[in-house]
Amino acid sequence: MSAHEQAVIDAFNSFVRAKALEAGKGYHEFALDGQDRDAGADYLISDKTRFALIEFKYQEASIAGEARKVRRKTLCQLLEREVELRKLHDNCHFICWSNSSHGIDLNIYRHEVCNSQIFGPTAALRSPLPHTATRVAAERFASEFLSQSSRSLTVAEFEGYLNWLLTKASVSTLKSVELLARDHTSESCAVITFPNVRAAFDWLQSW
């Protein structure tokens, strides 16, 4: 994790959580920790019924660091061939960073990363440069995510995409990710562990 990446993460999650509270909706973020290597994201976020993945960077210049990740190049190459998975990806897999105006921007992961500027010409990717037209400010992202109009998938759709991402793009033996959260039913500061996304989804329905 470079520079002030965690500060960007904290600011983003705090902002979306506040917007969810204003709208009477739920919001929960799950850190993926070391699982980011295979999941291609630092956090999994949910409004309690739908899910998305977000890779965080400190600044736009930090995005170039994705070039060092062989699994991400494989993901980009697979997405160019698999149309249905590309549609799921575009609705749930994002990258987020702070901009020069002290705001926070997001884009669909492949639109920002899957191009020759990042991976070079030998990766044989169609896009020479990032597709910046689909960048949005955190304010718009939060609104669309919480309204369920876009920026997320149902639990069944998300499980399908995540399974493909882990087993095909990252060649992992995992089919889902393990998630930890604070146990809201405990009076002490305790954590609860979920073996997969479906278990976390069931838990989110209970509070």
Side-chain angles (χ1 to χ4, degrees):
M1 191 171 293
S2 61
H4 301 292
E5 186 176 302
Q6 188 60 53
V8 174
I9 293 171
D10 293 345
F12 174 83
N13 283 325
S14 177
F15 176 80
V16 182
R17 192 181 305 110
K19 289 299 179 182
L21 185 61
E22 288 177 10
K25 298 179 180 292
Y27 180 71
H28 203 96
E29 70 276 9
F30 298 91
L32 294 179
D33 304 312
Q35 297 171 111
D36 64 341
R37 177 172 171 268
D38 291 329
D42 297 303
Y43 275 72
L44 181 156
I45 63 172
S46 176
D47 67 349
K48 295 181 67 172
T49 62
R50 299 171 68 89
F51 296 84
L53 293 168
I54 302 184
E55 170 71 11
F56 287 93
K57 300 295 181 186
Y58 171 37
Q59 297 174 319
E60 182 182 343
S62 309
I63 296 172
E66 293 297 278
R68 297 190 295 270
K69 303 174 182 179
V70 176
R71 290 169 177 78
R72 301 298 82 81
K73 180 169 73 171
T74 301
L75 170 63
C76 290
Q77 292 169 332
L78 289 174
L79 286 171
E80 295 210 338
R81 301 198 299 266
E82 303 197 26
V83 178
E84 293 306 312
L85 272 301
R86 188 163 68 236
K87 292 177 182 176
L88 294 177
H89 171 91
D90 289 359
N91 281 321
C92 81
H93 201 156
F94 307 98
I95 190 165
C96 176
W97 66 94
S98 63
N99 61 42
S100 58
S101 300
H102 308 293
I104 291 178
D105 291 331
L106 297 95
N107 200 355
I108 295 166
Y109 183 88
R110 74 179 181 92
H111 284 185
E112 205 65 47
V113 177
C114 298
N115 57 77
S116 299
Q117 178 176 280
I118 298 292
F119 288 107
T122 58
L125 297 172
R126 294 191 188 98
S127 299
L129 298 168
H131 183 52
T132 60
T134 50
R135 290 179 177 177
V136 296
E139 292 80 2
R140 178 177 169 183
F141 181 92
S143 176
E144 293 175 344
F145 176 78
L146 293 170
S147 69
Q148 299 186 345
S149 61
S150 60
R151 313 294 180 185
S152 62
L153 296 175
T154 65
V155 64
E157 292 170 331
F158 186 77
E159 285 177 315
Y161 174 73
L162 184 61
N163 179 290
W164 173 85
L165 174 63
L166 293 170
T167 61
K168 301 298 183 182
S170 296
V171 197
S172 171
T173 56
L174 299 175
K175 295 184 178 181
S176 188
V177 289
E178 182 179 78
L179 303 171
L180 270 71
R182 183 171 74 85
D183 185 356
H184 293 271
T185 66
S186 174
E187 294 184 359
S188 63
C189 185
V191 295
I192 184 169
T193 303
F194 309 103
N196 51 52
V197 170
R198 179 65 65 162
F201 169 79
D202 292 341
W203 174 74
L204 286 169
Q205 308 317 299
S206 67
W207 62 277

